[in-house]
Amino acid sequence: SLKPLESVSDSNTRPAPVLTAAPVRALVDEQVSIRGHFLPLHCPVTLHARMHSDEGDLWESFAHYNADERGTFITRDPSVGGSYLGCEPMGLFWSMQPAPGGREGLRLRKKSVESPYTVHVSLLEGHVSTSEGQWSELAAVTVERWYIAPGVKRIEINQNGLVGTLFIPPGPGPFPAMLDLWGMGGGLQEYRSSLLASKGYVSFSLAYFGHKDLPGPPNCINVGDSYFKAAFLLLQDHPQVVSDRVGIIGLSFGCYLTLRIPTKTGVKVRHEAYFINLSNVFGTFNSWFLDHQIEERLRSAGKSHLLTRLSYPGAGHLIEPPYSPSKLITMWGGHPALHAAAQEDAWKKILDYLEKNLRS
């Protein structure tokens, strides 16, 4: 049976509970280990994580643990309830959802990469699964999650019609580079580019739709192939870029552009590694057919070895950097745990792929 958290016999001998995190400051794709110490043996406790988005919305998650025979637990242990179940070392982060009573239809996207997400993690008595009511907070720790490493330069680009943000890794270079294209959500998303720069790649996040500095109505794409060609050449001609080691990465509609740019604009992309598709297929026949068309055409040209296609059953549409919270079920499809596993695996394979084909 579970022992109560406090008893007369041990209250004067056991140190107060302590919650630790390592590291307390890390990039968002790095794992954080959270550990509870000095708890009564086998007692039930809850980890409650909460943070505010850049827009001020509260996101939170819960995980239920039972202290072991030494009065400790760690987030590598199985969660027995809350926002996720089982051994999920980073479940406390990827399972975050908007707090009850908040705005509807939220998607967590970092607006300012020059500041971190600050996650407050509380250790609570018993198994708690709601943010309502009064809790007994036993201990707490704060963790910073960054999309940009120290020394990475952020440069806003608004010249010759191009709109975007360039990120340059620390050091003299020259570096391989990536043109970063997002989907029909529009605007300018910087967080993947800043993370790529933190891994040693000059990265150019390009706005092409729904941005105030682009021509025409905000709900239409009003740039053509020459716009994307100019963005690629800006990277290729940059003094801190290795000109023949420039790749393209896309998500959602950006994946279409990663295919179009090399075939329609005349730019010379390194042939063995020119694009990465981060739009997971989850049951749409048109998407399935396109994948097989690409595979068949490469095979008929004797170049099937250039294609690596990853499939993640149960994942949603948008494969983003790992441990990113997503409101998946109602908006983008998929199961949160399977989607989180897909994001973690895909990001590792992306970095391995870039290391092999653009850096070596």
Side-chain angles (χ1 to χ4, degrees):
S1 62
L2 297 177
K3 297 183 178 180
L5 191 58
E6 295 182 1
S7 65
V8 174
S9 61
D10 65 14
S11 61
N12 295 324
T13 59
R14 179 179 291 110
V18 173
L19 197 62
T20 60
V24 294
R25 187 183 194 275
L27 291 174
V28 294
D29 65 342
E30 298 175 21
Q31 289 200 1
V32 174
S33 178
I34 300 174
R35 186 186 297 266
H37 311 260
F38 308 126
L39 295 163
L41 311 187
H42 307 294
C43 73
V45 291
T46 296
L47 284 183
H48 175 217
R50 63 187 187 273
M51 71 179 189
H52 286 91
S53 69
D54 288 354
E55 296 86 356
D57 298 293
L58 178 64
W59 290 64
E60 64 179 358
S61 61
F62 297 85
H64 298 166
Y65 293 96
N66 294 315
D68 60 19
E69 65 279 0
R70 297 169 298 176
T72 66
F73 74 91
I74 191 170
T75 43
R76 288 197 301 267
D77 296 336
S79 168
V80 298
S83 302
Y84 62 94
L85 293 171
C87 295
E88 298 283 354
M90 291 296 288
L92 200 66
F93 296 90
W94 61 249
S95 69
M96 282 187 168
Q97 293 288 296
R103 295 186 297 149
E104 293 295 321
L106 295 178
R107 176 182 173 191
L108 189 68
R109 297 196 291 185
K110 196 76 177 73
K111 298 297 184 182
S112 173
V113 299
E114 294 179 301
S115 64
Y117 281 133
T118 301
V119 184
H120 184 83
V121 183
S122 301
L123 178 63
L124 308 179
E125 181 177 358
H127 287 163
V128 177
S129 295
T130 176
S131 58
E132 299 176 354
Q134 297 295 317
W135 305 319
S136 174
E137 183 176 278
L138 308 173
V141 67
T142 298
V143 176
E144 290 185 358
R145 307 290 287 161
W146 290 83
Y147 279 95
I148 190 168
V152 172
K153 296 178 182 177
R154 177 184 176 273
I155 304 171
E156 295 181 10
I157 301 295
N158 194 337
Q159 61 188 49
N160 301 324
L162 288 177
V163 178
T165 306
L166 186 68
F167 292 92
I168 302 177
F175 306 97
M178 294 296 290
L179 179 60
D180 188 5
L181 301 168
W182 287 81
M184 293 300 286
L188 180 58
Q189 308 302 327
E190 299 182 356
Y191 53 94
R192 186 172 60 199
S193 283
S194 61
L195 195 55
L196 284 169
S198 301
K199 305 298 179 181
Y201 300 90
V202 172
S203 187
F204 184 24
S205 182
L206 182 68
Y208 63 89
F209 170 78
H211 192 281
K212 62 180 180 61
D213 293 331
L214 291 173
N219 59 345
C220 297
I221 297 178
N222 298 293
V223 296
D225 290 336
S226 61
Y227 181 82
F228 299 103
K229 180 177 181 178
F232 188 90
L233 294 178
L234 180 145
L235 271 180
Q236 198 170 54
D237 296 340
H238 196 280
Q240 287 184 274
V241 169
V242 182
S243 62
D244 64 346
R245 295 178 183 268
V246 181
I248 309 172
I249 186 169
L251 180 143
S252 193
F253 186 77
C255 298
Y256 163 75
L257 295 173
T258 64
L259 292 169
R260 183 177 179 88
I261 292 169
T263 57
K264 297 295 185 180
T265 68
V267 300
K268 294 182 179 180
V269 184
R270 187 174 172 88
H271 72 279
E272 66 264 37
Y274 70 85
F275 86 95
I276 297 166
N277 186 326
L278 290 187
S279 178
N280 192 53
V281 177
F282 62 105
T284 55
F285 174 77
N286 292 336
S287 298
W288 175 88
F289 185 71
L290 179 60
D291 269 0
H292 283 269
Q293 270 196 323
I294 295 169
E295 189 172 16
E296 181 56 36
R297 290 188 180 184
L298 284 171
R299 184 182 295 111
S300 65
K303 296 183 178 181
S304 58
H305 62 285
L306 301 182
L307 175 69
T308 299
R309 180 157 59 96
L310 304 177
S311 178
Y312 296 105
H317 173 56
L318 301 175
I319 306 295
E320 298 202 73
Y323 318 130
S324 303
S326 301
K327 200 162 189 276
L328 298 169
I329 302 302
T330 58
M331 295 182 66
W332 307 111
H335 184 278
L338 294 175
H339 190 84
Q343 292 193 141
E344 184 175 19
D345 184 73
W347 185 249
K348 181 181 183 302
K349 286 183 168 61
I350 288 168
L351 295 181
D352 290 345
Y353 187 81
L354 295 181
E355 180 69 25
K356 177 183 176 181
N357 291 287
L358 287 186
R359 199 189 299 276
S360 61

